[in-house]
C-alpha cells in the first residue's frame, strides 16, 4: 500500500501515531481537529501542541498543501475554476459554484484519467497518478480559505474516475463527513462513476449515505461503446443491476448523467430506449449538453432537440432536469483548464 501522509489518517490512527511518538493519545484528537476542523496549513498554528511535538511532526510528517496556479472567475454566475499545483508539481483543477442553497465544489480524484471517454478532456493524457485523501480534502479546505465561505455540497465529478481510486476515496468521504472534522453531511456528497461494477457493489456495502451518479450517456451498449470504452468491460445488464443494488442497500435515489451529443445519442428513439432501460429504477436523469473539446468533433445538440429529449423522458414519467451550465465563459468542462495549461506549457518548452 502506498504511504499515507498525516492529513490522510483517521483520528484513531493519529492517536496511535502519538503513542509511537511517546505522547498521550488525546494529542491525536487535537491534531486531527487542527487538520480537519480548523483546517490550518501549518504546525506552527497548532497552539495546544508543545513546541517539541510540533518540531518533531514538522520533521517527520511535513504538511503539504495546494498552491494556486490560476483562478478563473465567471462574469456570468461567479463560478470559479481553480488550478492547483500539488507538492510533486502536478496540476489539478477544482470548481467552486455558488447556488441559492449553498456552495458546491467539484473536485478531482486523480491526476488525469485512464477511462478514455471520447468526449472528455481529462483523459487525453492518460492517468498520471491517484490523488491522496489529503489532496482531495485540501481542494475543499483551500477553496473555503480562499473564498471565506463554507462549502456545503461536494461532487466528485472533476478529473479522474473516483472508483478507480477506491480506498483513498472512501477515506476522503469518511474524514470529510466526520463530525470531528468538517462534518459535511454525506447526503451532500455525490460520487460520479463511469460504471465500474464491482466497485459500485462494494460502495453499496460501506454504510455511507452519499449519492451515486452513473455516467450513462447512452440508451444501449452499442452506442455506449462508441462514447465510453468502459462499456466494453461492463455491459448495461451488469451496470444497472449494480446501481439498483446501491439503491437497495442505501435507499439513496440514483442519478444518471446523460451528456447529449449532437446526432449520436439525442434522438427521440434514444429517449424512448433510455426510458425503458431505467424506468423501473428510483432515479433522476441529469441531461448535460456536451461541452465540445477541440480534440474531438462532437457537437452540442440543438436547444430544441434537448427540450424534446427531456419531454419524451417526462412522458415516460422519468424525473429529469437539464443541467444548468455554470461558468460557460471560463474553461468550463471537465479537465479543460488543466488541459489548456498543460498545452501552453508544452508549447513553451
Ligand atoms: N469519471 C467519473 C467522473 C468525472 S466526469 C465519471 O465518468 O462519471 C463527470 C461527468 O462529466 C461525467 O458524467 C462525464 O462523462 C461528463 N463529461 C466529461 N467531459 C464532458 C464534456 N466535454 N461534455 C459533457 N460532459 C462531460
Amino acid at each position: 500500500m502506498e504511504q499515507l501522509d498525516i492529513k490522510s489518517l483517521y483520528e484513531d490512527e493519529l492517536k496511535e501515531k502519538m503513542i509511537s511518538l511517546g505522547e498521550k493519545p488525546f494529542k491525536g484528537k487535537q491534531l486531527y481537529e487542527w487538520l480537519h476542523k480548523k483546517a490550518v496549513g501549518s504546525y506552527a498554528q497548532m497552539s495546544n501542541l508543545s513546541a517539541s511535538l510540533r518540531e518533531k511532526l514538522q520533521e517527520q510528517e511535513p504538511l503539504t498543501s495546494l498552491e494556486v496556479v490560476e483562478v478563473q472567475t465567471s462574469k456570468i454566475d461567479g463560478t470559479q475554476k481553480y488550478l492547483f499545483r500539488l507538492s510533486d508539481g502536478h496540476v489539478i483543477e477544482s470548481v467552486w459554484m455558488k447556488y441559492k442553497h449553498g456552495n458546491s465544489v467539484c473536485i478531482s480524484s486523480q491526476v488525469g484519467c485512464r477511462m478514455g471517454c471520447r468526449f472528455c478532456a481529462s483523459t487525453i493524457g492518460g492517468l498520471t497518478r491517484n490523488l491522496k485523501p489529503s489532496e482531495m480534502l485540501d481542494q475543499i479546505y483551500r477553496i473555503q480559505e480562499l473564498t471565506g465561505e463554507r462549502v456545503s455540497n461536494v461532487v466528485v465529478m472533476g478529473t479522474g474516475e473516483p472508483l478507480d481510486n477506491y480506498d483513498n476515496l472512501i477515506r476522503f468521504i469518511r474524514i470529510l463527513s466526520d463530525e470531528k472534522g468538517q462534518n459535511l453531511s454525506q447526503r451532500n456528497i455525490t460520487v460520479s462513476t463511469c460504471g465500474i461494477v464491482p466497485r459500485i457493489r462494494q460502495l453499496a456495502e460501506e454504510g455511507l449515505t452519499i449519492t451515486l451518479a452513473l455516467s450513462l450517456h447512452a440508451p444501449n451498449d452499442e452506442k455506449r461503446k462508441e462514447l465510453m470504452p468502459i462499456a466494453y468491460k461492463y455491459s448495461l445488464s451488469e451496470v444497472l443491476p449494480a446501481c439498483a443494488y446501491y439503491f437497495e442497500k442505501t435507499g439513496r435515489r440514483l442519478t444518471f448523467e446523460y451528456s447529449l451529443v449532437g446526432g449520436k445519442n439525442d434522438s427521440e428513439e434514444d429517449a424512448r430506449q433510455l426510458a425503458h432501460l431505467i424506468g423501473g429504477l428510483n432515479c433522476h436523469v441529469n441531461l448535460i449538453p456536451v461541452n465540445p473539446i477541440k480534440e474531438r468533433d462532437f457537437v452540442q445538440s440543438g436547444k430544441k432537440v434537448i427540450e424534446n429529449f427531456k419531454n419524451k423522458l417526462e412522458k415516460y414519467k422519468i424525473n429529469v432536469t437539464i443541467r444548468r451550465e455554470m461558468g460557460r465563459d471560463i474553461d468550463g468542462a471537465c479537465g479543460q483548464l488543466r488541459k489548456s495549461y498543460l498545452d501552453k506549457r508544452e508549447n513553451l518548452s
Side-chain angles (χ1 to χ4, degrees):
M1 204 179 91
E2 70 190 300
Q3 186 71 25
L4 287 171
D5 61 313
I6 199 150
K7 217 188 282 183
S8 296
L9 298 181
Y10 293 129
E11 187 188 353
D12 285 351
E13 294 167 335
L14 284 186
K15 286 183 179 163
E16 278 164 31
K17 171 130 200 102
M18 286 300 125
I19 296 170
S20 76
L21 291 176
E23 299 278 340
K24 293 256 159 48
F26 79 92
K27 288 285 154 199
K29 174 173 180 277
Q30 291 177 331
L31 176 57
Y32 187 84
E33 284 181 352
W34 283 114
L35 291 173
H36 299 292
K37 192 179 210 112
K38 303 188 185 93
V40 300
S42 72
Y43 289 117
Q45 289 158 280
M46 304 184 181
S47 51
N48 57 3
L49 304 186
S50 70
S52 67
L53 174 58
R54 281 185 266 155
E55 235 167 71
K56 224 185 284 176
L57 287 169
Q58 181 61 38
E59 220 168 80
Q60 297 186 10
E61 301 280 349
L63 284 183
T64 57
S65 186
L66 303 179
E67 184 195 332
V68 180
V69 180
E70 196 179 327
V71 187
Q72 292 185 346
T73 304
S74 162
K75 292 196 182 70
I76 304 170
D77 52 37
T79 294
Q80 292 192 322
K81 270 222 145 181
Y82 290 85
L83 192 68
F84 288 121
R85 184 176 289 113
L86 304 168
S87 54
D88 65 358
H90 292 303
V91 294
I92 55 167
E93 61 180 71
S94 322
V95 189
W96 182 74
M97 291 160 284
K98 242 175 130 71
Y99 292 100
K100 275 195 217 90
H101 61 264
N103 298 321
S104 185
V105 167
C106 173
I107 67 150
S108 295
S109 56
Q110 296 180 313
V111 182
C113 183
R114 57 176 177 163
M115 295 299 134
C117 297
R118 302 276 304 143
F119 44 79
C120 180
S122 293
T123 199
I124 290 170
L127 175 68
T128 304
R129 71 167 173 87
N130 283 330
L131 289 185
K132 299 175 195 163
S134 60
E135 291 167 328
M136 292 188 248
L137 291 163
D138 267 335
Q139 295 173 59
I140 297 152
Y141 299 170
R142 282 293 271 149
I143 288 179
Q144 288 191 144
E145 185 188 334
L146 292 161
T147 60
E149 293 193 33
R150 185 165 161 79
V151 167
S152 54
N153 290 271
V154 170
V155 294
V156 189
M157 285 190 188
T159 298
E161 168 49 49
L163 300 190
D164 190 34
N165 184 14
Y166 188 86
D167 293 344
N168 288 344
L169 175 82
I170 299 298
R171 254 178 200 273
F172 158 75
I173 294 167
R174 292 201 195 282
I175 295 175
L176 183 64
S177 58
D178 188 351
E179 56 185 18
K180 290 187 185 153
Q182 292 291 308
N183 196 17
L184 197 134
S185 166
Q186 286 181 5
R187 293 172 169 268
N188 293 352
I189 301 174
T190 297
V191 168
S192 174
T193 177
C194 62
I196 301 178
V197 168
R199 296 284 95 78
I200 293 176
R201 289 185 172 273
Q202 193 178 348
L203 189 65
E205 307 281 353
E206 295 282 352
L208 301 172
T209 53
I210 59 168
T211 299
L212 177 71
L214 176 82
S215 297
L216 191 52
H217 305 327
N220 56 51
D221 283 322
E222 203 186 325
K223 287 204 176 194
R224 201 160 184 262
K225 283 178 187 165
E226 283 176 32
L227 298 172
M228 308 173 72
I230 193 75
Y232 285 94
K233 187 148 188 200
Y234 302 110
S235 69
L236 289 171
S237 65
E238 297 168 280
V239 177
L240 292 170
C243 292
Y245 182 68
Y246 187 84
F247 173 74
E248 190 189 310
K249 288 300 234 185
T250 63
R252 302 288 296 154
R253 185 172 77 159
L254 301 161
T255 294
F256 292 119
E257 293 160 282
Y258 195 102
S259 294
L260 287 161
V261 185
K264 292 253 182 235
N265 62 1
D266 61 350
S267 71
E268 289 204 1
E269 174 56 21
D270 291 325
R272 196 189 61 78
Q273 279 187 30
L274 177 62
H276 282 288
L277 187 70
I278 60 174
L281 295 167
N282 189 331
C283 68
H284 172 260
V285 175
N286 210 206
L287 297 175
I288 315 167
V290 80
N291 208 324
I293 56 173
K294 68 173 192 307
E295 290 79 4
R296 306 268 187 269
D297 53 4
F298 293 137
V299 291
Q300 268 192 8
S301 313
K303 260 208 164 73
K304 190 109 196 76
V305 173
I306 296 175
E307 274 302 321
N308 279 346
F309 199 91
K310 175 170 179 269
N311 292 340
K312 191 92 186 162
L313 289 180
E314 279 174 342
K315 260 202 197 122
Y316 287 100
K317 305 270 180 287
I318 305 279
N319 280 306
V320 52
T321 45
I322 299 172
R323 181 174 303 170
R324 221 172 95 210
E325 285 179 277
M326 303 290 281
R328 265 231 74 139
D329 53 333
I330 51 182
D331 285 315
C334 191
Q336 292 198 93
L337 174 59
R338 174 171 175 268
K339 182 78 176 58
S340 60
Y341 171 83
L342 295 176
D343 287 350
K344 260 185 259 161
R345 210 169 53 176
E346 209 158 83
N347 288 340
L348 288 178
S349 60

